[in-house]
Amino acid sequence: MTAKAELIAANSTLHLQMQEWRRDIHQHPETAYEELRTSNVVAERLQALGLEVHTQIGGTGVVGVLRGRHPGDKHIGLRADMDALPLTELNTFAHASRHPGKMHGCGHDGHTTMLLGAAAVLAHSPDFAGTIYFIFQPAEEMQAGAKRMIDDGLFERFPIAEVYGMHNWPGIPEGHFAVHPGAVMASTDGFDIEIHGQGGHAAMPDMLTDPVLVAGHIITATQSIIARNLKPTSSGVISITRMVGGSAYNVIPEHVSLHGTIRTLEESQRQLIKQRLQQLVEHTASAFGASASIRFNPGYPATINRQANAETCYQVASELVGEGCVQWNPPPSMGAEDFAYMLQQRPGAYIWIGNGAAGESHALHNPHYDFNDQILPLGANYWVQLAQRLCR
Ligand SMILES: [Zn+2]
Ligand SMILES: [Zn+2]
């Protein structure tokens, strides 16, 4: 057993410092792979704490390595994301974004700060046995920065055996956590359907093959996949979000396209939906004498925790706030998260920390959203306790 590092108290010097760091990052949001200032700030802070720092991993990614005072063979990765959204902030407080069209609307400024806070505590008293890797990734929003770090050798360069992530969650009260033993976030895939018919005069449909009518049947048929092919106990969404076709009242077009997204929580159901969608698109079109094809734009896989790792996270969170303030296995989100790629490589878990109850925190990606500075110590303390628990 090792001694425990002191936790960060509310309104302590470190808490107030973290609030400054967080607001500074918030004022200077940077989007995917352009997190130059942010990653410099992160690297400088880690260096100042005495960590071994590696930069430019997967673009702007940073890894700080901290070895415990005691020998040990545990190698634990703790991950935060650094990127902002291409969104114009509507907040008017002093630390609002200084870059029009860019905003920390998902709280990654807070995630980065909480992990820096944990690094500060653990560097000050490295009373653990093993090595902690503080992973700061670029481009979580839509551009798979986690995957790019992996492709750039994250797990070959560093012998990380387990990885952990955390996201703030509006709707969960301040001082609370939520932990899932399995799926936390959904997979996401885009698709483009192209329907080709034979266009012509709208008054002479008997001479033509109408791709608009085919599109209507395809739209209706797709929902049978959710209702009749997906396991009743599984979750899935198919949404057609965009239709393009035609240009006049009296002309049936040659071509219509449909575009949308698929979300699931299981890889098997993800494959099933894609396969059924392709069959329905091709065969529905051919039944009407038209032709159609579908192209998928694969997005993030589902974020799936390993139960044993999730149980450890639950215990650590419960020790901090009490069991009554940690939800176990609430409904997952159909949003997506690229930490999924890390969990495909290594066991671990990704948890939610409450950013404030509904009405107290704006939703993620809302132009009025802001990360709740009151939870900075709790999030950092969670990382500290988790690291110490895993490396004792
Ligand atoms: Zn986001
Ligand atoms: Zn996010």
Side-chain angles (χ1 to χ4, degrees):
M1 281 295 285
T2 56
K4 284 201 167 178
E6 212 169 300
L7 295 178
I8 307 168
N11 302 317
S12 61
T13 310
L14 182 51
H15 180 189
L16 298 178
Q17 234 168 22
M18 288 169 73
Q19 180 168 301
E20 261 176 50
W21 300 345
R22 207 282 296 177
R23 293 184 178 188
D24 171 69
I25 298 171
H26 191 92
Q27 279 184 318
H28 302 95
E30 296 171 303
T31 47
Y33 300 114
E34 291 171 359
E35 307 91 339
L36 293 172
R37 181 187 185 277
T38 313
S39 64
N40 276 337
V41 164
V42 165
E44 277 169 22
R45 295 246 150 81
L46 296 175
Q47 258 148 12
L49 293 168
L51 271 68
E52 175 189 311
V53 179
H54 302 258
T55 58
Q56 296 182 338
I57 303 171
T60 52
V62 179
V63 175
V65 182
L66 180 65
R67 292 184 180 82
R69 186 172 283 154
H70 311 284
D73 55 3
K74 292 289 181 62
H75 294 272
I76 304 298
L78 309 178
R79 168 275 200 177
D81 37 16
M82 300 186 290
D83 60 316
L85 286 163
L87 177 70
T88 295
E89 179 158 10
L90 295 182
N91 291 313
T92 53
F93 43 57
H95 66 276
S97 169
R98 293 184 181 178
H99 304 313
K102 295 183 182 188
M103 176 192 177
H104 270 291
C106 204
H108 300 181
D109 48 347
H111 302 166
T112 296
T113 303
M114 292 189 291
L115 194 54
L116 284 172
V121 172
L122 288 166
H124 181 68
S125 35
D127 288 311
F128 58 91
T131 309
I132 307 294
Y133 302 84
F134 297 87
I135 305 166
F136 295 86
Q137 74 153 80
E140 190 287 320
E141 301 286 357
M142 305 289 290
Q143 305 221 24
K147 184 169 186 302
R148 192 137 152 206
M149 283 189 87
I150 294 166
D151 292 345
D152 203 11
L154 177 67
F155 293 117
E156 285 81 43
R157 290 172 67 175
F158 308 100
I160 298 164
E162 295 175 28
V163 279
Y164 294 86
M166 173 161 57
H167 206 293
N168 78 94
W169 211 256
I172 297 179
E174 184 183 313
H176 290 233
F177 290 93
V179 183
H180 299 76
V184 196
M185 307 283 287
S187 64
T188 169
D189 295 294
F191 60 83
D192 303 295
I193 297 169
E194 307 291 342
I195 305 161
H196 292 276
Q198 193 195 336
H201 202 297
M204 305 170 190
D206 55 312
M207 315 285 287
L208 316 170
T209 308
D210 180 2
V212 177
L213 179 66
V214 174
H217 280 270
I218 288 177
I219 292 168
T220 310
T222 52
Q223 295 310 324
S224 73
I225 299 172
I226 301 300
R228 283 296 173 267
N229 299 127
L230 197 73
K231 277 190 296 181
T233 50
S234 295
S235 298
V237 178
I238 303 173
S239 289
I240 291 177
T241 53
R242 183 165 177 249
M243 288 181 76
V244 185
S247 58
Y249 283 114
N250 58 353
V251 179
I252 288 173
E254 288 274 313
H255 168 254
V256 171
S257 66
L258 302 173
H259 311 267
T261 182
I262 303 168
R263 307 289 170 118
T264 66
L265 296 171
E266 293 159 67
E267 191 58 31
S268 63
Q269 302 300 293
R270 182 188 192 190
Q271 297 310 326
L272 174 84
I273 288 178
K274 285 175 154 181
Q275 189 189 23
R276 284 295 297 140
L277 201 48
Q278 177 153 11
Q279 288 169 342
L280 277 177
V281 164
E282 290 172 0
H283 296 171
T284 303
S286 84
F288 286 88
S291 66
S293 60
I294 183 164
R295 192 169 51 87
F296 295 102
N297 301 311
Y300 299 168
T303 305
I304 313 230
N305 289 340
R306 300 271 181 107
Q307 176 148 355
N309 305 86
E311 279 168 3
T312 305
C313 296
Y314 176 84
Q315 286 158 10
V316 169
S318 298
E319 277 168 22
L320 284 166
V321 296
E323 275 191 8
C325 295
V326 186
Q327 298 178 44
W328 176 251
N329 202 17
S333 163
M334 296 312 275
E337 161 63 67
D338 79 346
F339 188 66
Y341 291 108
M342 293 200 185
L343 287 177
Q344 283 186 331
Q345 299 288 323
R346 294 292 183 273
Y350 167 96
I351 72 162
W352 293 342
I353 180 170
N355 197 56
E360 288 168 11
S361 168
H362 283 282
L364 298 172
H365 295 206
N366 180 291
H368 294 285
Y369 167 87
D370 193 29
F371 185 88
N372 181 352
D373 285 318
Q374 294 311 114
I375 68 170
L376 288 169
L378 181 59
N381 289 339
Y382 165 77
W383 283 134
V384 170
Q385 296 274 65
L386 180 68
Q388 290 186 324
R389 165 121 185 179
L390 295 167
C391 296
R392 59 187 178 188

